[in-house]
Amino acid sequence: MQGNFDDDAAVSQLPYFLRDQNRFLPTEIARGGWGPSLSGHVVGGLLGWAAEQLVDDPQFQPARLTIDLPRPTALEPVEVHTRVRQDRRRLRLVEAELVQNGNPVAQASVLFLRRGPQPDGHVWSQPIPMPPLPAEQGAVESLFIRTYGWGADIQNPDPEWAETPGQKYTWLQETRPLVDAEPMTAFTRAAMAGDITASIANWGARGLQFINVDYTLTLSRLPEGPHLGLASLTHYSDDGVATGSAALVDPDGPIGNCVSVAIAQTGFLAPPKTIAAQ
């Protein structure tokens, strides 16, 4: 079920997973930059998608997602197991787990809160300036449509940004389905974007030398429209252990924060241009 996608048009629309009864079969586009394993953003997206299936009340806002990535997820079929841990009037807590060959390889905890009236009064919030959205829409059909100050050449079409030191930014537009041909939900896109925090927070003069082992995404609201932005906020690392954070925005402004914990690792390779830039 993973083959027969030979022409460019088919590859550009290839989903990350194909459903096979109670299993999900990753396609070649789901591979990440750390060797023969699934990308963390794809793993996080599938866990977030599965958790969202258990919440049938549209008034519940997905407010916090924590993804644990304790081991590589192989390019093999996976099962997703979910359960509701707490179901209360204003709160629902859901857990999801990815299993391969009977072994858990990743898990998530997702907290949903019931929306209600917004309190009066102003609360200080740090402004998040972002570079403008790319003028040419859909020019690069991959997770990374435009990055600023980090990444490979295929992710930095503007030469003046390619070697810029300092704070890192990215605008994302996911252009392919996650599961079969199902439309991607706003929460799934946010769940996938959260994994990119480790990259923009930890990218240094010698590229990316920390691998993500977990991330937590918090949301005050769901993103509007197809574009999501990340602005790096912090990076601290000692003795091969790193923590980094980023603000998550949509074109209307900030909507949440992401925090990542990572460990030192070499061997990161950007996705090949033939796949990432169809």
Side-chain angles (χ1 to χ4, degrees):
M1 293 189 63
Q2 298 186 49
N4 301 323
F5 290 95
D6 297 328
D7 58 272
D8 290 348
V11 171
S12 68
Q13 297 302 314
L14 186 66
Y16 290 107
F17 293 97
L18 298 172
R19 196 196 305 259
D20 180 20
Q21 298 183 358
N22 64 334
R23 301 188 308 166
F24 297 86
L25 284 66
T27 62
E28 61 263 32
I29 202 71
R31 177 172 175 162
W34 294 103
S37 59
L38 297 184
S39 171
H41 84 281
V42 173
V43 172
L46 186 60
L47 286 166
W49 170 86
E52 192 177 19
Q53 309 302 303
L54 294 186
V55 180
D56 55 3
D57 187 340
Q59 289 305 309
F60 273 99
Q61 157 74 32
R64 191 266 300 155
L65 164 74
T66 296
I67 301 289
D68 292 311
L69 304 166
R71 57 189 294 177
T73 303
L75 289 163
E76 299 175 0
V78 297
E79 295 181 1
V80 186
H81 301 164
T82 58
R83 64 171 176 165
V84 177
R85 286 291 306 272
Q86 294 284 337
D87 188 358
R88 301 167 59 185
R89 185 176 66 87
R90 302 183 65 190
L91 177 153
R92 191 169 296 180
L93 181 62
V94 176
E95 292 181 347
E97 184 178 61
L98 292 193
V99 176
Q100 285 186 326
N101 300 315
N103 298 312
V105 293
Q107 52 266 342
S109 170
V110 190
L111 178 66
F112 295 81
L113 299 178
R114 184 176 293 279
R115 299 180 181 91
Q118 175 71 7
D120 294 332
H122 175 74
V123 180
W124 179 86
S125 180
Q126 179 179 346
I128 305 295
M130 284 290 294
L133 282 167
E136 68 279 12
Q137 300 303 315
V140 180
E141 293 198 1
S142 74
L143 181 69
F144 310 94
I145 64 165
R146 184 63 54 90
T147 67
Y148 298 86
W150 66 283
D153 290 343
I154 63 169
Q155 299 167 3
N156 275 285
D158 300 324
E160 65 269 24
W161 286 97
E163 302 298 330
T164 303
Q167 191 174 12
K168 311 297 191 297
Y169 305 89
T170 189
W171 279 109
L172 315 173
Q173 181 186 15
E174 188 52 74
T175 59
R176 66 184 72 252
L178 180 70
V179 177
D180 293 337
E182 294 183 14
M184 192 174 294
T185 68
F187 178 56
T188 300
R189 292 192 294 107
M192 297 178 76
D195 178 71
I196 311 304
T197 301
S199 297
I200 68 168
N202 299 324
W203 197 283
R206 296 188 177 182
L208 186 57
Q209 299 187 91
F210 293 92
I211 186 170
N212 202 11
V213 294
D214 88 350
Y215 68 91
T216 292
L217 166 70
T218 62
L219 291 170
S220 64
R221 63 174 174 84
L222 292 173
E224 297 285 347
H227 296 96
L228 278 169
L230 284 164
S232 62
L233 297 178
T234 63
H235 165 85
Y236 312 113
S237 58
D238 292 280
D239 297 328
V241 176
T243 177
S245 65
L248 184 68
V249 309
D250 67 8
D252 293 330
I255 63 173
N257 291 299
C258 311
V259 177
S260 166
V261 175
I263 193 167
Q265 177 84 356
T266 59
F268 177 79
L269 295 174
K273 187 171 183 178
T274 54
I275 290 181
Q278 287 291 336

